[in-house]
């Protein structure tokens, strides 16, 4: 971390926060710091936070390069605006942090990578049952109104993670990141005590299973259940009971939040260290528990799994090996 | 239209059965096109799904996984059980990605079935050739998308 990170006149850290393609949950996670947000305010000046305060892009454009000490960037890159602001904030920030699953790996918006711009527009603006659009109008990046030309950002075919469009210093995983983890990272920043560039911070080096209190035994599964199809036993490992749990393929750090209330881990903290592709790791974990001695039976058991890509790559399709589904040339 | 297109196919073959068959097919000069790049693994159960995804991501037009016949032929007894529990899921995954099912083959060829290997190489190469290049990376080269 550069030496002058805290070199403001009042000695306070200059902080920026931004949301790109995201749900707003990461913003709530900051507010979840509760009374610690006062400590944050005491230690840092917030220079940019569109969700909570009235700043404009031109305020950021007017800053000298590297003016912001730390920028917490949440949300994926879905539009030309998201990408533009990612480049701008990189230029204006000493440390750029991908905050939350969407910035880290693409997140839930990244599941849009199973479709393309045209099919998403058709679904959202024409086909969805609640849509009333008799003229079949789809978004245009530019349109003429009496007052002049109005432009809106361009919607990409492919959702990307922050690191796929810009140089990122640190990654804080989670959908959203958990408040104690955020605070630990803030403290590390304030003390100047950060790990090497590119590290995942606010998490640990193990898996969710390592933090989970459910008891694991040998897994032999004849049928997989979706969470709403079964009331699980509270003591036993959920995976042992046939509920697909991403715990073995997910980085620890959340304290096994979901399994602690009998919901399977969905994988939001991303792959553990040294796992190239979280979905492939979870696929292998699932296949390894299938109790089938013939090809037919194995195919039947795994064939009942609905939406494998959505299940195995729920938070990380854009950052995975294949990134998206096939696009026809010219689409 | 694809007559001049030479597909690149990656074949993960287990040491004890299909690799032996491929070796015999070569030594016996059975006729087969040169499109399959063979990677020898100790057992088909060693084929991590990541290998298959990575092959496609990095430019393969087709992938083959082949090992010893179940139930009893696997040198490690039940390595091929892992294979038949995993591969249907890999197939489902590839289908969702829009990768045509004709680009992925998995199955069993014993050391004594060299002609069967040569036949697979001939058929599979033509099947993939007919589909044309997959060229997965192309989708990320455009700045606009
Ligand atoms: S698989 Fe899920 S329920 Fe089982 S130990 Fe791991 S995190 Fe806990
Ligand atoms: S248990 Fe899994 S899905 Fe739930 S918060 Fe933790 S990492 Fe995320
Ligand atoms: S050794 Fe051939 S499949 Fe296991």
């Amino acid at each position: 971390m550069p030496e002058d990170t805290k070199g403001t006149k009042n000695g306070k850290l200059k902080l920026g926060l931004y949301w790109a393609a995201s749900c707003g949950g990461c913003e709530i996670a900051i507010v979840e710091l509760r009374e610690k947000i006062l400590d944050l305010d005491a230690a840092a000046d917030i220079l940019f936070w569109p969700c909570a305060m009235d700043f404009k892009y031109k305020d950021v454009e007017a800053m000298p390069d590297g003016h912001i000490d730390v920028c917490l960037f949440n949300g994926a890159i879905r539009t030309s605006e998201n990408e533009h602001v990612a480049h701008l904030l990189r230029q204006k920030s000493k440390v750029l942090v991908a905050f939350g699953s969407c910035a880290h790996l693409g997140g839930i918006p990244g599941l849009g990578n199973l479709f393309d711009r045209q099919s998403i527009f058709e679904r959202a603006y024409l086909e969805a049952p609640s849509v009333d659009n008799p003229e079949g109008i789809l978004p245009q990046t530019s349109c003429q109104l009496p007052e002049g030309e109005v432009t809106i950002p361009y919607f990409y075919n492919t959702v990307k993670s922050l690191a796929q469009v810009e140089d990122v210093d640190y990654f804080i995983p989670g959908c959203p990141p958990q408040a104690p983890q955020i605070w630990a990272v803030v403290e590390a920043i304030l003390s100047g005590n950060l790990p090497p560039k590119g590290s995942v911070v606010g998490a640990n080096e193990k898996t969710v299973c390592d933090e989970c209190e459910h008891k694991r035994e040998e897994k032999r599964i004849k049928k997989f259940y979706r969470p709403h199809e079964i009331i699980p036993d509270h003591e036993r490992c959920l995976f042992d009971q046939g509920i697909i749990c991403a715990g073995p393929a997910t980085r620890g750090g959340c304290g096994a939040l979901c399994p602690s209330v009998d919901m399977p881990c969905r994988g939001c903290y991303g792959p553990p260290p040294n796992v190239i592709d979280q979905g492939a790791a979870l696929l292998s974990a699932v296949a390894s528990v299938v109790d089938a001695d013939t090809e037919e039976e194995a195919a039947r058991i795994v064939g009942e799994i609905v939406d494998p890509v959505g299940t195995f790559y729920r938070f990380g399709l854009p950052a995975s090996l294949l990134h998206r589904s096939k696009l026809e040339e010219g689409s | 239209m694809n007559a001049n297109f030479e597909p690149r196919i990656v074949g993960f073959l287990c040491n004890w059965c299909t690799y032996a068959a491929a070796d015999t097919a070569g030594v016996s000069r059975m006729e087969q096109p040169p499109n399959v790049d063979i990677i020898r693994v100790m057992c088909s159960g060693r084929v991590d799904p990541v290998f298959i995804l990575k092959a496609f991501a990095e430019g393969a037009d087709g992938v083959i996984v082949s090992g010893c016949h179940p139930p009893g032929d696997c040198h490690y007894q039940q390595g091929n059980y892992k294979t038949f529990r995993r591969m249907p899921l890999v197939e489902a995954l590839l289908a969702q990605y829009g990768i045509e099912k004709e680009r992925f083959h998995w199955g069993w060829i014993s050391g004594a079935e060299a002609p069967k290997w040569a036949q697979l190489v001939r058929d599979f190469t033509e099947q993939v050739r007919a589909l044309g290049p997959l060229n997965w990376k192309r989708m990320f080269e455009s700045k606009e998308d």
Side-chain angles (χ1 to χ4, degrees):
Chain A
M1 171 163 223
E3 274 176 23
D4 58 347
T5 294
K6 285 187 284 173
T8 52
K9 284 206 195 82
N10 58 10
K12 280 185 160 187
L13 186 83
K14 286 187 252 160
L15 197 61
L17 297 106
Y18 186 67
W19 56 355
S22 62
C23 68
C26 282
E27 314 282 337
I28 306 287
I30 305 269
V31 180
E32 277 285 301
L33 289 171
R34 304 189 186 189
E35 66 285 353
K36 287 220 171 62
I37 203 138
L38 298 174
D39 298 345
L40 181 67
D41 183 57
D45 280 334
I46 297 178
L47 302 195
F48 183 56
W49 192 6
C51 174
M53 298 161 138
D54 187 20
F55 295 106
K56 303 287 185 241
Y57 291 161
K58 67 172 168 29
D59 301 326
V60 181
E61 281 156 11
M63 293 174 188
D65 288 358
H67 185 66
I68 296 170
D69 293 315
V70 177
C71 177
L72 303 180
F73 187 111
N74 76 70
I77 307 300
R78 160 52 96 194
T79 67
S80 54
E81 178 189 22
N82 302 149
E83 183 168 359
H84 170 75
V85 179
H87 295 318
L88 179 65
L89 286 170
R90 171 70 281 179
Q91 191 187 341
K92 303 298 180 184
S93 310
K94 293 189 188 75
V95 175
L96 179 64
V97 180
F99 185 96
S101 303
C102 299
H104 178 210
L105 302 167
I108 297 289
L111 289 173
N113 283 359
L114 286 174
F115 305 89
D116 60 9
R117 176 174 40 244
Q118 188 63 25
S119 60
I120 290 172
F121 278 7
E122 283 170 8
R123 178 69 197 162
Y125 297 101
L126 304 177
E127 296 161 8
S130 56
V131 166
D132 179 21
N133 180 6
E135 289 168 60
I137 295 170
L138 296 182
Q140 305 294 321
T141 51
S142 148
C143 92
Q144 286 298 334
L145 293 179
E147 296 80 7
E149 187 192 16
V150 176
T151 61
I152 60 166
Y154 184 77
F155 187 98
Y156 293 155
N157 267 322
T158 302
V159 173
K160 292 182 178 140
S161 68
L162 183 58
Q164 287 173 327
V165 301
E166 254 307 348
D167 187 36
V168 172
D169 295 293
Y170 298 106
F171 301 87
I172 304 183
C175 181
Q178 293 305 303
Q181 294 285 15
I182 299 172
W183 188 247
V185 173
V186 171
E187 284 188 319
I189 292 170
L190 290 173
S191 65
N193 201 4
L194 276 167
K197 181 176 167 170
S199 301
V200 173
V201 293
N204 61 40
E205 305 290 298
K206 297 184 178 156
T207 66
V208 172
C209 288
D210 288 303
E211 303 184 318
C212 177
E213 304 207 325
H214 289 261
K215 285 194 192 54
R216 260 165 291 165
E217 287 158 11
E218 209 202 333
K219 302 180 182 19
R220 296 189 68 83
I221 305 301
K222 287 269 186 212
K223 176 174 172 50
F224 289 105
Y225 298 93
R226 301 173 82 187
H228 65 276
E229 293 172 333
I230 185 174
I231 296 178
D233 179 291
H234 183 60
E235 302 292 319
R236 291 169 60 221
C237 166
L238 300 168
F239 214 151
D240 288 358
Q241 300 176 61
I243 303 167
I244 295 179
C245 181
T250 303
R251 185 186 284 266
C254 67
L257 218 55
C258 301
S260 74
V261 293
D262 294 345
M263 281 300 284
C265 171
R266 304 308 185 94
C268 79
Y269 268 59
N274 305 320
V275 168
I276 305 174
D277 190 283
Q278 186 182 17
L282 183 53
L283 185 156
S284 287
V286 166
S288 70
V289 303
V290 169
D291 184 11
D293 290 335
T294 64
E295 291 180 48
E296 294 68 31
E297 195 179 16
R300 179 190 61 76
I301 294 172
V302 302
E304 287 172 8
I305 296 172
V306 176
D307 187 13
V309 171
T311 304
F312 301 146
Y313 293 92
R314 187 174 271 108
F315 292 92
L317 183 56
S320 72
L321 273 173
L322 291 178
H323 311 304
R324 61 154 304 121
S325 65
K326 189 174 166 194
L327 277 178
E328 292 313 323
E329 253 163 295
S331 62
Chain B
M1 155 188 145
N2 293 318
N4 295 326
F5 160 59
E6 288 300 338
R8 281 204 74 177
I9 295 161
V10 178
F12 297 99
L13 312 188
C14 94
N15 181 56
W16 305 99
C17 285
T18 311
Y19 187 85
D23 197 34
T24 307
V27 171
S28 327
R29 303 189 179 207
M30 292 177 194
E31 199 186 320
Q32 41 182 333
N35 300 59
V36 182
D37 294 330
I38 293 174
I39 296 175
R40 172 161 59 157
V41 291
M42 289 312 283
C43 175
S44 68
R46 175 64 184 92
V47 181
D48 189 311
V50 156
F51 299 175
I52 300 162
L53 301 179
K54 201 162 184 207
F56 282 121
E58 302 206 342
D61 300 299
V63 173
I64 294 172
V65 175
S66 186
C68 318
H69 288 274
D73 278 7
C74 172
H75 193 74
Y76 307 98
Q77 300 189 355
Q78 297 209 327
N80 51 4
Y81 283 45
K82 280 187 192 294
T83 308
F84 71 62
R85 291 166 186 168
R86 268 182 200 147
M87 294 306 151
L89 269 178
V90 174
E91 279 178 351
L93 211 60
L94 296 180
Q96 267 186 296
Y97 278 118
I99 296 177
E100 299 88 344
K101 65 179 189 310
E102 293 80 9
R103 294 189 187 272
F104 178 54
H105 170 91
W106 65 278
W108 324 111
I109 292 177
S110 81
E113 293 175 317
K116 187 172 163 190
W117 168 257
Q119 187 66 44
L120 174 68
V121 170
R122 288 193 296 270
D123 295 348
F124 192 71
T125 302
E126 287 324 307
Q127 187 172 308
V128 175
R129 194 195 309 277
L131 287 171
L134 183 61
N135 196 4
W136 200 256
K137 285 188 189 157
R138 121 191 100 79
M139 294 186 293
F140 313 98
E141 280 159 5
S142 149
K143 272 254 146 205
E144 276 289 87
D145 282 333

